Amino acid sequence: MTTVQTLSGLAQSGALKGKRVFIRSDLNVPLEQGRITEDTRIRASVPAIRMALEAGASVMVTSHLGRPKEGTVGPDDTLRPVAERLAELLGRPVRLVADWVGGVDLAPGEVVLLENCRCNPGEKKNDPELARRMAALCDVYVNDAFGTAHRAEATTEGIARYAPVACAGPLLEAELTALGRALQSPRRPMVAIVAGSKVSTKLSILQSLAEKVDQLIVGGGIANTFMLAAGLPIGKSLAEPDQVDQAKAVMDAMRARGVEVPIPVDVVVAPAFAADAPATVKDAADVGPDDLILDIGPRTAAALAGQLRKAGTIVWNGPVGVFEFEAFAGGTRAIAQAIAESDGFSIAGGGDTLAAIAKFGIADRVGYISTGGGAFLEFLEGKALPAVAALQARAT
């Protein structure tokens, strides 16, 4: 794992007893009319809070929620529903504190939730003065929000530089351990699946992985652009013709290492993007001018599944078809099943990927499911994550 001080280490050493602990969690949950519709991130934050409380600390927790305007807390910005759910999960009161930057009254052994940190002016710009004021609130700062680790903000990067002690919470620690295992010392062969609508948004990741992995699988709209690069017809399918040369460069990079980027040999097409559109399996060379490619075909899916079952390490980011529509879910289902059946270590990240994992019921058979979207992708790309770099600097 990337070397950082950890909350678990401090708890075990007794260093938290009587201390004020400030935890930056990721509690950015979906809300509808003030009600939480999915609470995975809240549940994932509980172990760090419990660890600190059981070690004798008083705990302040904060998070962003949505995209608020700095300086005001609107009705859609408040963490009040989160405080209520957190209290249920912890089995104890969780007081919501507004206007907390200037000071927080905190009783020994108490846990409080500090209102939406992105409502504080200077948070997103990582204002040093704001970071210093927040650091003064605590004895120990804990970052347990991997999903925001790629952002240099006052509660993710700035405060880590000024707090008396700065460390990683158990969720962040687990992410760094799993990602390090997958990318820094992988069991071979290493296979990466990178899928999504656009090559342009994941080009740097594709280029970086082409230098590291033994096999690179592309899917979704990205695969359509690679099909164009291979001279195949794609009809009206989503693609980026202006990225064909970039796709060819990735294919050439893999070829130089002795492997081909697998291009679909068959696809599932439809005349329209709709759940009830008639699905037709066609050879890749037979896609018509009015066809939309919405999934890989069964022969392609079987071939890719065969590769995945033999993998030592699998990194998965993105479904290979429009899996939300059952007629076009076969390819992603086959990929998911193969990953579940593989003896290799698998790590998956990204919102659509997590939705696919949930739909096909394989969560307990994926080695590690990352909580980060952008942070997961930037780690794959080899970029330094500002929040992690700040913790590393404090550990040296």
Side-chain angles (χ1 to χ4, degrees):
M1 189 194 82
T2 305
T3 304
V4 295
Q5 192 162 210
T6 63
L7 181 66
S8 57
L10 292 171
Q12 288 167 9
S13 71
L16 298 180
K17 188 170 179 60
K19 302 296 186 183
R20 289 166 63 100
V21 173
F22 183 113
I23 302 177
R24 174 53 158 103
S25 297
D26 183 0
L27 307 172
N28 186 29
V29 293
L31 295 169
E32 287 184 9
Q33 297 179 330
R35 296 180 64 84
I36 297 165
T37 58
E38 210 284 320
D39 71 348
T40 298
R41 286 176 172 167
I42 302 176
R43 286 185 282 110
S45 75
V46 167
I49 299 168
R50 281 210 176 111
M51 186 181 291
L53 290 170
E54 289 169 4
S58 305
V59 180
M60 299 167 275
V61 185
T62 195
S63 171
H64 70 291
L65 179 69
R67 301 176 185 274
K69 181 181 178 182
E70 287 190 354
T72 61
V73 182
D76 296 331
D77 307 325
T78 180
L79 287 172
R80 184 165 301 284
V82 176
E84 293 169 359
R85 180 62 181 135
L86 203 50
E88 291 174 0
L89 292 167
L90 289 169
R92 60 190 297 163
V94 176
R95 180 166 53 94
L96 182 68
V97 180
D99 301 322
W100 49 271
V101 173
V104 179
D105 290 326
L106 190 62
E110 186 183 13
V111 55
V112 300
L113 184 62
L114 310 180
E115 187 60 278
N116 193 335
C117 60
R118 282 211 186 135
C119 294
N120 295 320
E123 166 65 17
K124 289 194 73 174
K125 290 184 177 179
N126 198 15
D127 178 65
E129 181 56 32
L130 175 63
R132 285 189 181 93
R133 293 181 72 191
M134 292 191 298
L137 300 174
C138 67
D139 302 302
V140 178
Y141 164 73
V142 183
N143 191 326
D144 205 36
F146 178 74
T148 64
H150 60 310
R151 302 185 189 280
E153 297 181 347
T155 57
T156 63
E157 198 272 349
I159 187 175
R161 288 187 276 130
Y162 303 118
V165 176
C167 66
L171 187 60
L172 180 58
E173 182 183 356
E175 291 275 0
L176 296 177
T177 299
L179 286 162
R181 178 179 171 187
L183 296 177
Q184 291 161 10
S185 54
R187 204 173 108 206
R188 303 286 181 175
M190 181 181 180
V191 182
I193 306 160
V194 180
S197 58
K198 294 182 178 181
V199 170
S200 55
T201 58
K202 295 187 177 178
L203 177 61
S204 53
I205 295 153
L206 290 165
Q207 290 170 331
S208 176
L209 289 175
E211 298 173 359
K212 300 172 184 173
V213 302
D214 301 300
Q215 293 166 332
L216 179 61
I217 294 170
V218 293
I222 291 174
N224 296 339
T225 301
F226 274 71
M227 287 177 68
L228 275 182
L232 289 166
I234 63 166
K236 299 187 298 183
S237 308
L238 176 66
E240 292 179 290
D242 62 334
Q243 295 292 319
V244 163
D245 286 345
Q246 303 292 350
K248 286 179 178 177
V250 171
M251 292 161 73
D252 289 342
M254 290 301 295
R255 195 172 292 127
R257 300 181 58 226
V259 290
E260 298 287 335
V261 174
I263 304 299
V265 295
D266 61 344
V267 292
V268 184
V269 302
F273 186 88
D276 58 355
T280 305
V281 177
K282 289 189 176 184
D283 284 349
D286 296 336
V287 173
D290 294 324
D291 286 333
L292 279 172
I293 300 171
L294 299 182
D295 195 13
I296 55 174
R299 285 187 292 138
T300 301
L304 297 181
Q307 286 187 350
L308 292 167
R309 288 192 188 95
K310 298 173 187 173
T313 304
I314 301 167
V315 177
W316 182 19
N317 176 249
V320 296
V322 187
F323 73 97
E324 298 90 343
F325 299 162
E326 190 52 40
F328 310 103
T332 303
R333 180 183 285 107
I335 293 288
Q337 195 62 38
I339 291 171
E341 293 170 0
S342 171
D343 291 331
F345 174 69
S346 54
I347 182 166
D352 288 342
T353 312
L354 271 56
I357 287 169
K359 175 169 180 170
F360 302 124
I362 64 161
D364 60 340
R365 291 187 286 168
V366 176
Y368 189 81
I369 298 174
S370 175
T371 57
F376 177 76
L377 292 175
E378 292 200 11
F379 197 106
L380 292 187
E381 195 177 330
K383 288 183 176 178
L385 303 180
V388 175
L391 295 180
Q392 289 173 316
R394 293 300 305 276
T396 55

